């Protein structure tokens, strides 16, 4: 199913078999286990280089968790999906392959194609959509792009990893029909259309079996039915049993060196518990991956000439403006000439990406304040904080100059490293020159902080273990911080603890020092140190901040308020408790809107938030986590240089109305009792109206839907640009079964296409409706069933704005 083998594939297979034949059991077992956090061992005897993997998905972090090793940061995956443009996703992939090659990375740990089952999912920002068809096509575009650059992907997390609560152990109970029609569907589309070289199996269980041991889903469906011939890599620390993993079709257990493969696997073969042939199967998959990415001598890589160089900053900016969704516009946008009050903490300190393993460190970020300052005439912009969404301390950033000093037990300096963002994340072999796990005793983050505000500053610590914190010569903390969760990555996601307060003066630097006594527990799967110096600026009276913003808004022609979530709201590692904007941001918007009828709100979040004031403001623009060039793209869109091109890839509505809100397991189990009814399928069934419907997005021009013609499964839709500027329209097709079937969604996305047209011009969108759109998974026969009958084709601007209909009989 996943394409036929080419001559080059055959040649690679021959090289793989030859290499395999030269390996002994121990080497084979070793190859299947990470040698450290991000790599597999090299096997020089067969000309195999060490395979290097890296997160993903908005950039390529590389093997080091530091701002010293920057990567382009593209907009969040939700933003990429909001472009509804698989070709743009492909171009994003090409750029990421370029980044990967630059950093010596062979395999990108991306894309994330789990679904937006519930808006409470903490990693929502990192996945594409609530719709499997849109997810599959964006994912396929992304994978094709990355792999066209000769770099592998691991489509993740296979499967049903749609929330974070108890993510390592949760047993998701998912009916076969929902699995096939929703959760497996994007993986299937990607395997079929883009032939991924890898998948990553998830932490969770599905119907009683953990995904790293799921023979049925991995061997039978993914490999057997779909013909996936790539490498199956475990999510980090997900593999738990040597036998279970081998039998379940897991090829590589990451990270290392302590894994269920390696020595344990060789021993299991020697004890007669595992057939060596099963090890060979896994090794073949790893060698095939290595051959494809050019890490196996004697095998021609899948790509011999990488695509032409891409300008990362330009592409990041393009994807951002193409992703912004204008959900409401009462004539306020584009901005008319005049003065602007720019309001919001995130307008100055840009929130460009979501938290967790998806974090990358760009070389630069353009905040909305930077972007608008550059775009607007001098003197026409005034800034006010208005409200600070951060309810707690954040990792030290702006104003800090820090480096890390490593000492041994005797207090001797054994190495140093730069630590530009006050955060240490050293995993596995990633240690400064001269430092080893055996000699490293303490790490001191030391340097200066120059405040931009006068007042009482709070300093704190993120991480576990023994710390000493000194600010301006005074030691404020010298104790041990304990754990408040069992996630092994808690130091990445946990809350920083406030530990010191100091009265400081703007512009006057003070010395800061945070020393951590490291410890490497014997049973930890990876030797890792992770901690950070955290900080919070003086907390001004929230009412006073709002009053200041109101005054700025009143004096300006337009008020632009940027509201945002924080990485304590949207992150890997935990789910969301509600969909509220943190802090006093709702109060801020209401107060500003009352003072200036021309208030534009920019919503800077990776996933849905409630916007209770949305009818009281002149415009609402969703900017997602817009990546490093977000502020420049925002200025382009606000000033009208560019049209906001996005359409919602997921329904936005209030939590109280949201159909699926259960993300917390009971006794370890999470039943997906809603079956196939998630997202718009569920809103439709419940007869509820969300704040903004799936597919909605206004752009800057108007479109008339003129005609819909059907010829077999091909639909031709003619639309006319009736506005006064050129534009791009995403023509959407929904398929509604003629006969009501309570078990089937009333309608589902069955195709879409982009057209562009000048004012007054007509354009034609041609959409081929896939056969699958007419099929359901029949749980009785355990097969796809083509449902004959009459269907209504509904063409429109969103699922709620259907302009033309036609009938198709199949
Ligand atoms: C995440 C993966 C990620 C891996 C490596 C895991 O915790 O679930 O998405 O690729 O870590 O960082």
């Amino acid at each position: 199913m996943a394409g036929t083998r080419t001559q080059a594939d055959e040649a690679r297979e021959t090289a793989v078999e030859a290499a395999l034949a030269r390996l002994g059991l121990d080497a084979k077992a070793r190859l299947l286990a990470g040698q450290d956090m991000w790599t597999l061992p090299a096997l020089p005897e067969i000309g195999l280089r060490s395979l290097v993997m890296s997160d993903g998905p908005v950039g390529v972090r590389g093997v080091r968790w530091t701002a010293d090793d920057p990567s382009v940061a593209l907009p969040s995956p939700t933003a990429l999906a909001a472009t509804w443009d698989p070709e743009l996703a492909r171009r994003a992939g090409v750029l990421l392959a370029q980044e990967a090659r630059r950093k010596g990375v062979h395999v990108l740990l991306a894309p994330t194609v789990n679904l937006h089952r519930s808006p409470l999912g903490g990693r929502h920002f990192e996945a594409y959509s609530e719709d499997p068809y849109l997810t599959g096509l964006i994912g396929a575009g992304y994978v094709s792009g990355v792999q066209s650059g000769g770099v592998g992907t691991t489509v993740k997390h296979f499967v049903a990893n749609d929330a974070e609560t108890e993510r390592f152990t949760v047993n998701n109970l998912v009916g076969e029909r929902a699995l096939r029609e929703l959760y497996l569907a994007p993986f299937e589309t990607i395997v079929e259309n883009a032939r991924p070289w890898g998948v990553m199996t998830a932490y969770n269980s599905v119907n009683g079996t953990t995904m790293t041991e799921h023979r049925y889903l991995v061997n039978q469906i993914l490999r057997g039915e779909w013909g996936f011939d790539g490498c199956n890599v475990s999510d980090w620390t997900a593999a738990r049993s040597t036998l279970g993993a081998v039998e379940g079709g897991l090829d590589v257990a990451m990270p290392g060196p302590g894994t269920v493969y390696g020595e344990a696997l060789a021993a299991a073969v020697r004890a007669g518990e595992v057939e060596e042939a099963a090890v060979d199967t896994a090794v073949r998959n790893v060698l095939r991956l290595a051959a494809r990415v050019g890490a196996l001598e004697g095998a021609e890589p899948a790509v011999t000439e990488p695509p032409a160089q891409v300008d990362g900053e330009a592409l990041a900016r393009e994807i951002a403006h193409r992703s912004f969704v204008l959900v409401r516009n009462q004539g306020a946008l584009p901005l008319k000439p005049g003065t602007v009050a720019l309001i919001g903490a995130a307008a100055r300190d840009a929130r460009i990406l979501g938290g967790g393993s998806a974090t990358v460190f760009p070389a630069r970020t353009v905040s909305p304040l930077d972007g608008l300052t550059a775009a607007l005439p001098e003197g026409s912009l005034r800034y006010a904080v208005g409200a600070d969404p951060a309810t707690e301390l954040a990792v030290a950033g702006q104003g800090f100059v820090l480096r890390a000093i490593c000492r041994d037990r005797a207090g001797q300096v054994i190495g140093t490293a730069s630590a530009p963002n006050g955060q240490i994340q050293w995993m596995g072999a990633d240690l400064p020159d001269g430092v080893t796990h055996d000699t490293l005793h303490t790490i001191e983050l030391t340097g200066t902080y120059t405040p931009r505000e006068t007042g009482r500053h709070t300093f704190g610590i993120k991480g576990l273990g023994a710390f000493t914190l000194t600010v301006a010569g005074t030691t404020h903390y010298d104790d041990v911080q304990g754990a408040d969760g069992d996630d092994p990555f808690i130091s990445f996601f946990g809350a920083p603890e406030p530990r010191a307060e100091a009265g400081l003066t703007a512009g006057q630097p003070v010395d800061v020092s945070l020393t951590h006594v490291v410890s490497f527990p014997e049973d930890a799967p990876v030797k890792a140190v992770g901690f950070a110096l955290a900080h919070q600026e003086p907390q001004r009276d929230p009412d006073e901040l709002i009053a200041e913003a109101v005054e700025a808004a009143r004096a300006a022609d337009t008020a632009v308020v940027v509201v945002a979530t924080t990485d304590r709201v949207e992150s890997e590692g935990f789910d969301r408790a509600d969909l509220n904007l943190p802090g006093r941001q709702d109060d801020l918007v209401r107060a500003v809107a009352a003072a200036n009828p021309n208030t534009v709100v920019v919503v800077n979040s990776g996933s849905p938030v409630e916007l209770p004031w949305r009818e009281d403001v002149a415009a609402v623009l969703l900017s997602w986590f817009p990546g490093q060039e977000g502020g420049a793209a925002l200025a382009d869109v606000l000033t009208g240089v560019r049209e906001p091109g996005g359409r919602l890839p997921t329904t936005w509505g209030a939590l109280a109305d949201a159909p699926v809100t259960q993300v917390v397991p009971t006794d370890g189990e999470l039943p997906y009792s809603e079956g196939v009814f998630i997202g718009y399928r569920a809103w439709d069934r419940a007869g509820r109206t969300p704040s903004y419907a799936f597919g909605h997005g206004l752009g800057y021009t108007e479109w008339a839907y003129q005609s819909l013609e059907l010829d077999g499964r091909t639909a031709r839709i003619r639309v006319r640009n009736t506005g006064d500027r050129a534009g791009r329209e995403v023509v959407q097709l929904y398929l509604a079964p003629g006969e009501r079937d309570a078990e089937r969604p009333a309608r589902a996305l069955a195709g879409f296409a982009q057209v562009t047209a000048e004012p007054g011009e007509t354009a034609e969108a041609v959409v081929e409706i896939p056969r699958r759109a007419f099929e359901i998974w029949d749980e009785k026969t355990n097969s796809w069933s083509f449902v004959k009958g009459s269907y209504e084709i509904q063409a429109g601007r969103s699922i709620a704005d259907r302009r033309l209909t036609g009938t198709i009989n199949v």
Side-chain angles (χ1 to χ4, degrees):
M1 199 164 149
T4 41
R5 275 194 186 172
T6 62
Q7 227 176 355
D9 288 332
E10 294 296 348
R12 265 190 299 277
E13 285 309 300
T14 309
V16 164
E17 289 305 324
L20 174 65
R22 287 165 54 204
L23 288 177
L25 174 62
D26 291 313
K28 287 192 280 196
R30 208 150 57 81
L31 179 60
L32 303 182
Q35 68 175 352
D36 56 29
M37 192 68 183
W38 306 114
T39 71
L40 296 185
L43 299 176
E45 64 271 34
I46 56 165
L48 176 70
R49 287 199 293 283
S50 168
L51 274 175
V52 180
M53 312 180 208
S54 165
D55 293 306
V58 299
V60 184
R61 194 173 56 244
V63 297
R64 301 183 54 214
W65 193 284
T66 161
D68 281 342
D69 190 12
S71 159
V72 170
L74 296 176
S76 57
T78 37
L80 191 61
T83 69
W84 288 59
D85 189 347
E87 168 55 20
L88 195 54
R90 192 195 62 77
R91 288 172 54 209
V94 171
L95 168 70
L96 295 170
Q98 175 181 306
E99 285 289 273
R101 294 180 89 103
R102 178 173 69 78
K103 292 186 160 205
V105 167
H106 302 108
V107 179
L108 189 61
L109 303 172
T112 303
V113 301
N114 299 115
L115 294 184
H116 295 162
R117 172 177 172 262
S118 166
L120 293 176
R123 279 179 101 167
H124 206 100
F125 69 88
E126 205 188 313
Y128 294 128
S129 166
E130 66 192 15
D131 182 76
Y133 181 71
L134 180 59
T135 299
L137 291 189
I138 296 291
Y142 180 101
V143 167
S144 306
V146 175
Q147 294 187 173
S148 75
V151 172
T153 53
T154 61
V155 186
K156 68 189 188 183
H157 310 81
F158 190 73
V159 61
N161 183 179
D162 310 295
E164 292 296 281
T165 309
E166 297 176 27
R167 65 179 176 146
F168 296 102
T169 53
V170 61
N171 179 20
N172 292 322
L173 304 175
V174 197
E176 186 78 17
R177 181 164 175 187
L179 262 180
R180 294 283 189 161
E181 293 184 19
L182 297 179
Y183 302 100
L184 288 171
F187 290 94
E188 184 180 6
T189 303
I190 295 168
V191 170
E192 186 168 346
N193 296 307
R195 265 190 104 184
W197 302 344
V199 297
M200 182 189 289
T201 32
Y203 290 122
N204 52 276
S205 292
V206 172
N207 301 330
T209 306
T210 193
M211 280 312 305
T212 44
E213 302 175 20
H214 217 301
R215 272 173 86 109
Y216 170 61
L217 290 174
V218 171
N219 287 345
Q220 201 165 317
I221 297 183
L222 172 68
R223 291 196 191 279
E225 286 182 29
W226 303 345
F228 170 71
D229 69 353
C231 181
N232 171 9
V233 179
S234 76
D235 199 346
W236 266 227
T237 72
R240 295 163 186 115
S241 140
T242 304
L243 263 59
V246 173
E247 286 168 9
L250 182 74
D251 300 322
V252 169
M254 287 300 287
T259 80
V260 297
Y261 283 175
E263 280 172 24
L265 180 57
V269 173
R270 292 203 170 96
E273 293 163 356
V274 169
E275 304 244 349
E276 191 161 348
V279 176
D280 287 352
T281 302
V283 171
R284 232 174 240 122
N285 293 332
V286 177
L287 292 176
R288 184 177 306 119
L289 173 62
R292 284 169 161 163
V293 301
L296 181 65
E297 252 168 49
E300 190 180 339
V303 174
T304 43
E305 287 208 25
Q309 195 76 6
V310 179
D311 178 341
E313 283 175 9
L315 185 59
R317 185 165 174 169
E318 179 182 348
I319 295 173
H321 77 72
R322 290 280 306 277
S323 77
F324 292 171
V325 184
L326 184 60
V327 290
R328 174 183 171 84
N329 190 10
Q330 306 290 95
L333 290 179
L335 295 175
K336 309 199 174 43
T339 53
V340 172
L342 179 64
I343 296 161
R348 182 174 64 176
D349 297 321
R351 173 108 166 99
I352 64 155
L353 46 73
S357 66
T359 304
V360 300
F361 302 94
R364 71 166 206 168
T365 54
V366 183
S367 70
L369 181 57
D370 299 333
L372 279 172
T373 304
L376 296 178
E378 222 180 304
S380 60
L381 184 68
R382 181 166 155 201
Y383 172 74
V385 175
D388 187 352
T391 45
E392 44 188 51
L393 282 68
V395 167
Q398 196 278 330
F400 285 85
V401 178
L402 296 167
R403 66 197 180 106
I405 299 181
C406 301
R407 296 189 176 85
D408 64 13
R409 200 164 277 280
Q412 290 297 318
V413 175
I414 52 174
T416 60
S418 76
N421 56 341
Q423 188 165 22
I424 298 291
Q425 301 288 359
W426 294 341
M427 282 161 289
D430 176 24
L431 289 173
D433 285 347
V435 178
T436 66
H437 290 118
D438 291 339
T439 53
L440 180 61
H441 181 59
T442 63
I443 303 170
E444 182 186 7
L445 276 173
T446 174
T448 57
Y449 172 59
T450 309
R452 63 182 172 188
E453 312 263 354
T454 297
R456 289 202 78 68
H457 289 246
T458 311
F459 296 80
I461 305 165
K462 179 166 167 167
L464 305 179
F467 292 96
T468 309
L469 174 63
T470 304
V471 179
T474 307
T475 297
H476 293 264
Y477 184 81
D478 188 10
D479 209 335
V480 176
Q481 284 201 161
D484 61 354
D486 58 2
D487 191 315
F489 304 115
I490 196 78
S491 62
F492 292 66
F493 316 129
E497 295 289 339
R499 298 295 184 194
E501 275 196 20
L504 307 178
T505 310
Q508 289 191 10
V510 288
D511 291 337
V512 284
S513 156
L514 175 65
T515 301
H516 174 47
V517 182
V518 300
S519 73
F520 300 111
E522 281 300 315
D523 58 345
V526 194
K527 284 193 167 39
V529 253
F531 71 96
L533 174 64
H535 169 256
Q536 192 175 40
E537 288 191 320
Q539 295 297 285
R540 293 198 27 220
D541 174 34
D543 291 326
E544 204 180 285
L545 282 179
I546 292 178
E548 201 175 273
V550 164
E551 192 210 303
R554 197 170 283 133
D557 294 313
T558 306
V560 175
V561 189
V562 180
V563 292
T565 58
T566 69
D567 64 359
R568 298 292 303 139
V569 174
E570 287 188 74
S571 170
E572 179 177 338
F574 50 85
D575 289 315
R576 293 163 78 190
D578 56 46
L579 304 184
N580 301 337
L581 284 166
R584 296 279 303 276
Q585 296 183 97
D586 285 333
D587 293 342
L588 170 69
V589 174
R590 285 198 184 96
V592 169
N596 188 330
N598 222 15
T599 292
V600 174
V601 181
V602 177
V603 184
N604 178 191
S605 72
S607 37
V609 286
E610 288 182 13
L611 311 171
W613 32 256
R614 64 186 185 282
E615 304 285 325
D616 305 328
V617 299
V620 179
L621 180 73
L622 314 183
S623 70
W624 310 107
F625 292 144
Q628 66 173 63
E629 303 298 315
L634 183 65
D636 290 342
V637 163
L638 293 180
T639 57
V641 173
R642 300 287 187 183
E643 178 183 42
R647 303 291 185 269
L648 281 180
T650 278
T651 311
W652 277 47
L655 185 60
D657 297 333
V660 183
T661 53
Q662 185 55 272
V663 290
V664 177
T666 312
D667 297 330
E669 291 187 338
L670 183 65
Y672 282 30
S673 44
E674 69 286 347
V676 296
F677 294 93
I678 64 167
Y680 64 76
R681 291 160 165 84
W683 284 89
D684 237 2
R685 183 166 71 159
R688 292 185 199 144
T689 307
S691 312
Y692 299 113
F694 179 81
H696 176 63
L698 296 169
Y700 281 157
T701 186
E702 304 289 326
W703 296 91
Y705 276 60
Q706 295 184 310
S707 63
L708 165 67
E709 270 172 44
L710 291 164
D711 177 8
R713 284 195 272 118
T714 308
R716 288 172 194 283
I717 307 100
R718 291 184 74 76
V719 294
R720 187 159 165 269
N721 181 349
T722 55
D724 56 10
R725 59 177 282 163
R728 176 188 296 267
E729 172 71 334
V730 180
V731 176
Q732 303 163 35
L733 274 197
Y734 296 89
L735 185 70
E739 240 165 71
R740 275 283 170 185
D741 172 352
E743 301 299 307
R744 219 174 161 189
R747 61 184 63 78
L749 181 69
F752 57 91
Q754 310 239 349
V755 293
T756 53
E758 294 295 320
E761 234 183 46
T762 298
E764 185 178 73
V766 182
V767 182
E768 187 68 27
I769 304 167
R771 184 185 158 86
R772 181 56 62 77
F774 301 91
E775 293 179 331
I776 59 166
W777 183 261
D778 184 339
E779 290 189 341
K780 287 193 210 84
T781 59
N782 218 21
S783 62
W784 288 105
S785 157
F786 188 89
V787 186
K788 292 198 181 130
S790 157
Y791 288 81
E792 193 171 79
I793 305 285
Q794 306 167 340
R797 307 204 66 197
S798 78
I799 197 162
D801 186 1
R802 306 184 297 272
R803 302 281 181 95
L804 297 167
T805 56
T807 305
I808 185 168
N809 291 299
V810 291

